[in-house]
């Protein structure tokens, strides 16, 4: 009974992850207002302004996606680290249970 309780606690920690610090990914601003404005394409200046806004928005979205990809990579690393920690604890516990002594 004790063995299963300790294993459940250790595995619970592994599932919750390492808790490492990560950067915050800022979501892009709302889509350019000019896309909803009927006057956005009335002359070349308005057209150019809208194009610039759309290009800026696309750049923000690309930066956000890149940040999220980095976060996913960091989280996978933390997950693997937590699983390794849990596996080592289980190994040491099982070793101690078999030998009756603390194992390193």
């Amino acid at each position: 009974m004790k063995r299963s309780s300790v294993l459940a606690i250790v595995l619970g920690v592994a599932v919750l992850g390492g808790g490492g610090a990560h950067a915050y990914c800022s979501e892009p601003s709302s889509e350019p207002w000019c896309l909803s404005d009927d006057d956005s394409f009335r002359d070349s200046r308005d057209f150019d302004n809208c194009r610039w806004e759309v290009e800026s928005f696309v750049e923000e979205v690309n930066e956000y996606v890149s940040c999220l990809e980095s976060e996913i990579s960091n989280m996978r690393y933390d997950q693997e680290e937590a699983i390794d920690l849990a596996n080592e604890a289980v190994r040491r516990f099982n070793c101690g249970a078999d030998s009756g002594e603390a194992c390193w």
Side-chain angles (χ1 to χ4, degrees):
M1 177 106 172
K2 284 185 178 180
R3 176 179 269 183
S4 62
S5 297
V6 172
L7 293 179
I9 291 169
V10 171
L11 292 177
V13 170
V15 170
L16 293 175
H22 297 288
Y24 175 75
C25 299
S26 298
E27 290 187 37
S29 58
S30 56
E31 73 176 30
W33 66 271
C34 65
L35 298 177
S36 304
D37 185 6
D38 292 335
D39 293 332
S40 294
F41 304 100
R42 65 183 167 161
D43 61 35
S44 63
R45 186 179 61 102
D46 290 335
F47 175 84
D48 288 342
N49 285 340
C50 188
R51 183 180 68 209
W52 180 85
E53 286 183 36
V54 170
E55 289 171 351
S56 295
F57 177 72
V58 168
E59 187 176 318
E60 282 183 43
V61 170
N62 287 333
E63 289 173 5
Y64 180 62
V65 168
S66 178
C67 181
L68 290 175
E69 288 171 346
S70 178
E71 283 295 292
I72 290 168
S73 177
N74 289 338
M75 292 171 105
R76 283 190 182 128
Y77 177 81
D78 286 350
Q79 179 185 31
E80 290 170 10
E81 199 172 70
I83 290 169
D84 289 346
L85 182 65
N87 286 336
E88 178 61 15
V90 170
R91 183 198 66 76
R92 289 180 59 200
F93 175 83
N94 289 337
C95 175
D98 291 341
S99 69
E101 299 177 7
C103 294
W104 304 102

